[in-house]
Amino acid sequence: MMKLSLIVPCYNEEGNVEKFFSEVDRVFENKVDDYEFVFVNDGSSDQTYKKLRYIHSDLNVKNNVQVLTFSRNFGKESAIYAGLTKAKGDLVCLIDADLQQRPEVVLEMLDVLNSDEDIDCVTAYQKKRKENALISFVKSSFYKTINKISDVDFVNGASDFRLMKRPMVDAILSMSEFHRFSKGIFSYVGFNTKYIPYVVAERESGETKWSVGKLFKYALEGIFAFSTMPLRISTFIGLFSSCLSIIYLIVVVVQKLFFGIDVPGYATIVTLLLLIGGLILFCLGIIGEYLSKMYVQVKNRPIYILKEHLDEKKDK
Ligand code: UDP
Ligand code: MG
């Protein structure tokens, strides 16, 4: 029997973790024998840590709970990476703590994975999104753009709710880049992925950590991490404006030599200067984005910092 690890990133999920734990146990009963929880407490400022400790010490009768506590909030991507590092399973499932991603779907994923040896990964995607029109629009335009300009495929609606076999997990772990954009990493490593539809449940308790602003930042992260197209944009803009200025020069010289018309006044020049200045700054900004990412990567900072690791209890 293969062991299954559930990786559960938790950031201020005090109202959810206990319910999550008991729901999984209830749903998995008699269906999945060998599984473990890997809770990652991503610098929560509420009672999440206390609840997780309680789960680990009191509720954990099967002795299958790990709790990783970060020294501060590092973000969900880092939490996933940490969880993958410590997971002991041959199969690994990423799942949110808020019960929006139902444990029943994990059973479906297991069935699909077991139905065909050739499948390495099962990913759930949302058929219908329960979110407002603006967020939907931002998301779908993002997928259109990034699929055009990057080499890896991004599937709209595919979440990071997924079940993977060990070789894929190891491949993801081998990508130790600092700026982690999971959707891109999953796609980049390849492997045979099967998509199944699922319905996102309501959040049990607490609030989503996403806002339009955060989504926009996340989208830019994705583009800068998986495409160098923006750099090429600056080359094109440079080329285009150089051509324009050469044409302009020729026109001015021809007018002066053959028709005796004077060079047009300062207004044009000032306008052009402003335009070119703006374009140069824009392009420098794009280069700066990549440079700053390289700067951080070169420093080789850790993806997360662990304050405490509660593992299986050995003395039992
Ligand atoms: N999360 C995390 N670190 C963060 C933000 C979120 O570990 O900085 C976790 C959060 O606790 C939850 C999951 O990531 O288990 C998804 O977050 P959320 O429910 O806010 O996102 P949504 O479901 O709205 O996309
Ligand atoms: Mg959620």
Side-chain angles (χ1 to χ4, degrees), residues 86-311:
K86 305 290 184 210
K88 295 167 187 161
D90 316 292
L91 299 175
V92 175
C93 180
L94 310 179
I95 183 167
D96 289 353
D98 54 15
L99 284 166
Q100 285 191 288
Q101 306 175 335
R102 298 289 316 167
E104 287 86 351
V105 182
V106 179
L107 296 182
E108 267 179 62
M109 290 178 170
L110 282 167
D111 283 343
V112 175
L113 199 75
N114 291 329
S115 69
D116 184 352
E117 260 183 50
D118 218 30
I119 300 174
D120 304 298
C121 170
V122 183
T123 301
Y125 72 90
Q126 302 175 41
K127 258 196 309 202
K128 249 194 176 164
R129 288 201 156 140
K130 283 185 199 153
E131 54 197 13
N132 71 44
L134 180 61
I135 292 196
S136 258
F137 174 76
V138 173
K139 280 190 180 169
S140 65
S141 350
F142 164 70
Y143 283 103
K144 273 189 204 135
T145 318
I146 197 156
N147 276 322
K148 277 218 181 81
I149 64 176
S150 106
D151 300 332
V152 297
D153 262 349
F154 293 81
V155 178
N156 189 1
S159 51
D160 35 27
F161 184 23
R162 58 177 63 218
L163 178 69
M164 297 174 278
K165 284 186 180 160
R166 182 44 70 176
M168 182 162 175
V169 173
D170 290 339
I172 293 170
L173 286 174
S174 75
M175 297 185 64
S176 54
E177 59 219 66
F178 185 83
H179 297 277
R180 304 191 71 74
F181 190 74
S182 288
K183 286 178 207 284
I185 292 175
F186 295 143
S187 162
Y188 182 90
V189 295
F191 293 93
N192 191 5
T193 302
K194 182 115 187 136
Y195 294 91
I196 62 166
Y198 87 115
V199 181
V200 182
E202 290 295 331
R203 207 169 214 288
E204 267 296 309
S205 137
E207 282 177 3
T208 173
K209 280 99 204 170
W210 290 105
S211 58
V212 177
K214 268 195 167 174
L215 271 180
F216 190 67
K217 217 180 131 213
Y218 184 69
L220 285 183
E221 287 276 332
I223 290 174
F224 286 121
F226 278 90
S227 169
T228 45
M229 188 64 174
L231 282 174
R232 234 167 292 152
I233 294 177
S234 48
T235 315
F236 287 132
I237 292 179
L239 210 68
F240 181 70
S241 58
S242 316
C243 290
L244 264 188
S245 64
I246 290 174
I247 295 172
Y248 182 72
L249 196 75
I250 294 174
V251 171
V252 168
V253 170
V254 167
Q255 280 181 334
K256 178 82 187 156
L257 285 185
F258 297 99
F259 305 101
I261 305 171
D262 264 344
V263 184
Y266 285 107
T268 346
I269 294 169
V270 170
T271 319
L272 277 177
L273 272 180
L274 281 178
L275 179 72
I276 305 282
L279 289 179
I280 290 174
L281 281 181
F282 175 73
C283 296
L284 273 179
I286 292 177
I287 296 171
E289 283 291 333
Y290 286 97
L291 195 68
S292 69
K293 299 237 150 35
M294 279 165 61
Y295 172 67
V296 176
Q297 180 69 53
V298 163
K299 284 192 189 182
N300 213 358
R301 286 190 176 153
I303 296 165
Y304 63 89
I305 293 171
L306 216 51
K307 185 160 105 180
E308 186 187 52
H309 181 187
L310 303 174
D311 206 343

Side-chain angles (χ1 to χ4, degrees), residues 57-87:
S57 61
D58 290 29
L59 304 180
N60 177 15
V61 280
K62 291 184 189 150
N63 194 19
N64 62 349
V65 177
Q66 296 192 53
V67 178
L68 310 175
T69 300
F70 285 179
S71 60
R72 63 168 167 85
N73 179 252
F74 279 86
K76 186 181 177 185
E77 305 282 340
S78 301
I80 290 176
Y81 186 79
L84 289 174
T85 314
K86 305 290 184 210

